[in-house]
Amino acid sequence: MSTALPTILLVDDEHHSLASMRMALEDDFDCLTAASADEAMRLLEEQFVQVIFCDQRMPGKSGVAFLTEVRERWPDIVRIIITGYTETNDIIAAINDAGIYQFLTKPWHPDHLVMSAKNAADLFRLTREHDRMALEMRFLSRSLESKVEEQRKALREGLGFENVLRAPNSPMNGVIAQARQFASFDVPVLITGEPGTDKAALARAIHYSSLRSDRPFFEVNCAGVDDDILEVELFGARRGAMPGRQTQKTGLLRKADGGTLYLRGVSELSQDMQRRLARFATAGTFRPLGSPEMERSDVRLLGGTDRPLGTAVAEGRFRADLFYALGQTTLSVPPLRARVEDLSILSQHLLFAAADRHGKPVHGLSDDALRFIERYDWPGNLRELENEMVRMLIFSQDSVLGPELISRHILQASPDTAEADRSVDSVLVSEGTLKERVEQIEMRILRETLTRLKWNKSRAAAELGLSRVGLRAKIERYGISEPGKTAVSDREEED
């Protein structure tokens, strides 16, 4: 992106002098010209000028007198006066009184004129930056308590509940309202929800909306991690306690002292790790690996689980004391299939984030694409939606992404949003005659193929092994219509 050139005002009653100065400077500067002090003053009132070159001898008002007036009204403008050899000594005092940056003598050399102009423009820029920095320093010199409060506010705004994207009528609104209440009380929270529902974002929002927001927030994945590794990660280890390592390891329970620790996948903890965490959750104490003594830490625990822990407690797979310690309050995050209202906002946000990450700018999703996205179940929730947005971005050729880019299994989802299960597998095991179930699958394949091929019926018929007349008959039979059209056109698109 090109930057604007500095603006210089040239003032001289001799037109050939103005033309010569302009010719020397116009490659590097935006030049304004005036033949008198009055004309120059009018230009200054209308234009943003950084530097003035002004001749000393002009009819009516001298250069020094004019620049003195400029100093009073626009003190930041860098002022340069041009004089003749015979008058230099006579106006030194006047130049000082006018606060003039430099004077040039006639005849001037073009290179000297350009160098003076560049130095003056740099001086103007540096003066502005100095004033800005001085203002910032005065702003930053407030009390430490005020600065900490501003930092906490910034964190709350950037990582708080406002960061959980949702529509005005979202099913998440009730969950967020509960979470706000829990955030203000220093108690553990157990967050439940299907995989991929981003329970960690809710945990972060709770932390940054709590009284602990100026203290650390950590999260650890408890699923699929060996106890030896998880023990050191959580509780830490003394020097020499780990084979091959002679340094001390500080655990997250110590690092998060005064803050919050989010335990992802707590349902996957082994019985031994459940016992050790239950002791910390109830007594606030833990023992690092290799240490003979217990340590104490003040950490708020937040737990996340994909499975209902109540059932695991009843079956003896999860300790009741840890369950009740973590579950003083509980939140349930709904899956994407229950958040149809949010899908437009979430998909557009994930698409723009992917576009920014990969350096491929786009303008968003088309309305037709959003309709397909909103009627799919998204069993993988936000992770699956994010993957689909990245995939569409990779194959996109236009700035607005259409439904032809959507994965085939999503395009084949039933258009009936009232259905509880829209997968093709559900049709195979559903009730109904063989003909009825085959027709359901056929209708979905037709819709998916037409959408993917941008409703080019010739290409769709060729891919499906149908004649164009046969394809048109099936479209009419199933009532399939191109988005934005209510009737099937008899005109066939050619390849």
Side-chain angles (χ1 to χ4, degrees), residues 14-26:
E14 296 182 4
H15 293 289
H16 71 275
S17 296
L18 282 179
S20 299
M21 287 192 289
R22 181 164 197 156
M23 185 178 300
L25 298 171
E26 62 184 357

Side-chain angles (χ1 to χ4, degrees), residues 278-464:
R279 179 170 58 192
F280 177 79
T282 54
T285 59
F286 66 97
R287 189 194 307 275
L289 180 65
S291 174
E293 299 177 352
M294 300 293 291
E295 294 187 11
R296 182 174 293 276
S297 182
D298 174 26
V299 176
R300 182 184 192 180
L301 293 178
L302 304 178
T305 175
D306 303 335
R307 305 176 184 177
L309 288 186
T311 304
V313 171
E315 296 174 352
R317 293 183 288 105
F318 199 86
R319 293 178 62 96
D321 52 356
L322 179 57
F323 171 65
Y324 290 114
L326 290 176
Q328 289 188 26
T329 53
T330 60
L331 287 170
S332 179
V333 182
L336 274 191
R337 63 178 173 275
R339 299 175 58 187
V340 177
E341 300 89 341
D342 298 338
L343 279 170
S344 175
I345 293 175
L346 291 171
S347 56
Q348 300 270 23
H349 170 77
L350 292 172
L351 174 63
F352 290 136
D356 183 63
R357 199 162 55 245
H358 296 286
K360 186 176 181 179
V362 294
H363 291 163
L365 298 160
S366 71
D367 292 341
D368 293 337
L370 287 172
R371 276 191 284 271
F372 279 98
I373 289 170
E374 289 173 351
R375 72 189 186 201
Y376 178 63
D377 277 339
W378 300 105
N381 293 297
L382 283 168
R383 293 174 191 164
E384 183 183 5
L385 180 61
E386 181 178 14
N387 290 347
E388 185 63 24
M389 293 302 104
V390 172
R391 180 187 176 280
M392 292 178 68
L393 177 72
I394 291 171
F395 290 107
S396 65
Q397 299 295 326
D398 302 318
S399 59
V400 177
L401 280 60
E404 69 278 359
L405 299 171
I406 298 176
S407 296
R408 299 179 70 169
H409 68 283
I410 299 175
L411 292 177
Q412 290 175 4
S414 169
D416 183 5
T417 56
E419 287 189 23
D421 189 345
R422 301 167 212 142
S423 67
V424 174
D425 289 342
S426 69
V427 178
L428 300 177
V429 298
S430 65
E431 296 182 357
T433 67
L434 175 62
K435 180 182 179 183
E436 289 170 344
R437 282 185 278 174
V438 168
E439 286 178 345
Q440 287 184 53
I441 294 177
E442 185 178 53
M443 178 178 64
R444 297 184 189 189
I445 292 173
L446 285 170
R447 182 183 295 106
E448 176 269 321
T449 304
L450 287 164
T451 302
R452 177 165 45 83
L453 298 179
K454 297 185 178 181
W455 283 81
N456 186 312
K457 299 184 185 70
S458 297
R459 292 180 59 194
E463 180 175 311
L464 296 171

Side-chain angles (χ1 to χ4, degrees), residues 14-297:
E14 296 182 4
H15 293 289
H16 71 275
S17 296
L18 282 179
S20 299
M21 287 192 289
R22 181 164 197 156
M23 185 178 300
L25 298 171
E26 62 184 357
D27 289 342
D28 299 297
F29 300 93
D30 184 9
C31 297
L32 303 174
T33 58
S36 66
D38 292 340
E39 184 182 351
M41 193 64 73
R42 285 193 295 272
L43 285 173
L44 287 172
E45 291 172 348
E46 300 172 356
Q47 305 286 339
F48 177 65
V49 174
Q50 288 100 312
V51 181
I52 297 177
F53 282 87
C54 182
D55 185 43
Q56 164 61 6
R57 288 193 171 185
M58 295 188 300
K61 187 179 294 182
S62 69
V64 169
F66 166 66
L67 293 180
T68 302
E69 291 183 11
V70 171
R71 181 186 189 184
E72 293 174 357
R73 297 184 60 180
W74 298 282
D76 290 345
I77 296 178
V78 181
R79 300 168 297 280
I80 298 175
I81 197 162
I82 300 175
T83 69
Y85 281 116
T86 57
E87 58 190 3
T88 299
N89 294 331
D90 298 334
I91 65 168
I92 291 294
I95 287 175
N96 291 335
D97 292 339
I100 291 172
Y101 166 67
Q102 186 182 8
F103 67 88
L104 299 179
T105 56
K106 295 180 179 180
W108 43 261
H109 190 278
D111 291 343
H112 188 197
L113 187 73
V114 172
M115 182 179 297
S116 298
K118 289 182 176 180
N119 290 340
D122 287 341
L123 175 63
F124 180 90
R125 176 180 55 81
L126 291 173
T127 302
R128 281 295 178 97
E129 289 182 1
H130 175 269
D131 293 343
R132 177 182 57 80
M133 292 178 66
L135 182 63
E136 289 178 356
M137 289 302 294
R138 289 197 297 272
F139 177 78
L140 293 173
S141 64
R142 293 172 302 181
S143 67
L144 178 62
E145 181 178 340
S146 175
K147 287 190 292 183
V148 169
E149 180 56 34
E150 288 215 349
Q151 291 172 355
R152 291 177 62 184
K153 181 181 178 183
L155 283 172
R156 285 195 294 268
E157 291 177 350
L159 298 168
F161 293 110
E162 290 72 20
N163 198 45
V164 182
L165 292 178
R166 59 197 187 278
N169 58 340
S170 169
M172 281 292 291
N173 290 341
V175 179
I176 298 299
Q178 276 189 306
R180 287 185 188 276
Q181 292 291 105
F182 296 157
S184 58
F185 289 85
D186 201 19
V187 295
V189 181
L190 184 63
I191 307 172
T192 64
E194 293 181 5
T197 49
D198 203 5
K199 297 178 286 295
L202 197 59
R204 281 191 296 271
I206 290 173
H207 168 73
Y208 287 110
S209 300
S210 72
L211 295 176
R212 295 175 179 260
S213 60
D214 59 338
R215 303 298 298 165
F217 172 84
F218 291 98
E219 65 176 274
V220 60
N221 188 4
C222 303
V225 181
D226 291 339
D227 276 8
D228 293 344
I229 298 175
L230 189 59
E231 177 185 14
V232 174
E233 188 71 17
L234 286 173
F235 306 112
R238 292 300 187 196
R239 188 190 309 273
M242 293 182 293
R245 180 167 181 165
Q246 300 303 313
T247 57
Q248 179 172 307
K249 166 73 173 180
T250 303
L252 291 178
L253 291 178
R254 172 58 57 204
K255 290 180 180 179
D257 188 19
T260 304
L261 177 61
Y262 172 59
L263 304 169
R264 177 185 294 182
V266 292
S267 59
E268 305 301 316
L269 288 168
S270 68
Q271 288 289 327
D272 182 57
M273 291 304 298
Q274 290 179 36
R275 177 184 57 80
R276 299 187 65 177
L277 274 172
R279 179 170 58 192
F280 177 79
T282 54
T285 59
F286 66 97
R287 189 194 307 275
L289 180 65
S291 174
E293 299 177 352
M294 300 293 291
E295 294 187 11
R296 182 174 293 276
S297 182

